[in-house]
Amino acid sequence: MTTDAGAPWLIVGLGNPGPEYAGHRHNVGFMVADLLAERIGGKFKRAQKAQAQVVEGRMGPVGPANRRVVLAKPMSYMNLSGGPVTALRDFYKVPTANIVAIHDELDIDYGVLRLKLGGGDNGHNGLKSMTKAMGAEYHRLRFGIGRPPGRMQVADFVLKDFSSAERKELDYFVDRAADAVECLVTEGLERAQSAYNS
């Protein structure tokens, strides 16, 4: 499936709303979305047609690679992300292949990035909800958080803040993830994969 160069992109940071979740591993999608909003000079505001916060703007150099983008943070909980994302897709007339979900990924080491189009949800409730609502043919930026230590339950691990050791590198990894999204949107999946899939 190819992306539509003229259509806008919908870039969705997945997370849980509310200050009590802000620093959690599960909210790394929100962190990347916040940085992208800063880069395009916008502030998140409530969407009219969906349970989400959005920023509209442009991404990339002046010229043919410049793209119209809508950044979004669903304000439902993670496992209900599909409803707000589908509503935004329909409102902004975004082809499914022009959607990027930014999410935490347990099966990748901390800070490692993987870009891909389509595929399974790997037990991730945000992706599961999105795929159920609109099919699997959207882009994903998987941000590695690693596996829980010892016998810690997965749910407890993802709903905890990054460790102090992880936080030392978090800004760098979030910055790199934002770069990867920009590369995907302006230069395409293959170029972004070769530059950022480590």
Side-chain angles (χ1 to χ4, degrees):
M1 184 180 281
T2 56
T3 56
D4 179 344
W9 282 76
L10 175 58
I11 300 164
V12 182
L14 292 179
N16 285 310
E20 68 274 29
Y21 296 102
H24 290 179
R25 292 181 178 93
H26 224 20
N27 270 40
V28 75
F30 276 15
M31 296 172 199
V32 177
D34 285 338
L35 178 57
L36 286 166
E38 211 175 285
R39 288 185 181 185
I40 67 171
K43 285 208 185 323
F44 278 100
K45 58 183 188 291
R46 211 165 135 221
Q48 292 180 338
K49 302 290 180 183
Q51 193 182 356
Q53 290 185 350
V54 295
V55 175
E56 295 177 55
R58 300 201 74 91
M59 192 175 276
V62 175
N66 189 260
R67 299 280 180 261
R68 189 157 77 89
V69 296
V70 180
L71 303 174
K73 297 191 294 187
M75 291 288 114
S76 60
Y77 284 92
M78 179 73 87
N79 60 349
L80 300 171
S81 301
V85 176
T86 305
L88 292 169
R89 177 198 68 179
D90 295 347
F91 179 71
Y92 288 103
K93 299 181 172 51
V94 179
T96 304
N98 280 31
I99 295 173
V100 187
I102 308 165
H103 65 92
D104 57 307
E105 178 61 65
L106 286 159
D107 287 336
I108 303 175
D109 289 341
Y110 175 59
V112 173
L113 303 176
R114 292 268 194 285
L115 287 144
K116 67 177 204 168
L117 173 63
D121 57 55
N122 208 16
H124 192 285
N125 288 331
L127 296 183
K128 202 175 285 185
S129 177
M130 283 180 62
T131 297
K132 188 177 174 193
M134 60 187 190
E137 289 304 304
Y138 54 90
H139 288 85
R140 300 104 194 274
L141 173 66
R142 303 156 74 199
F143 186 112
I145 59 169
R147 301 294 304 182
R151 293 169 182 262
M152 187 188 285
Q153 293 294 313
V154 165
D156 294 334
F157 179 68
V158 299
L159 293 176
K160 274 197 170 33
D161 286 3
F162 287 96
S163 70
S164 53
E166 287 170 334
R167 278 200 300 273
K168 287 182 179 139
E169 295 182 293
L170 183 59
D171 286 350
Y172 168 75
F173 289 139
V174 167
D175 196 62
R176 195 162 180 274
D179 290 345
V181 171
E182 289 191 11
C183 185
L184 167 64
V185 168
T186 59
E187 299 183 53
L189 180 60
E190 279 183 39
R191 172 80 186 88
Q193 284 176 324
S194 67
Y196 294 98
N197 279 13
S198 33

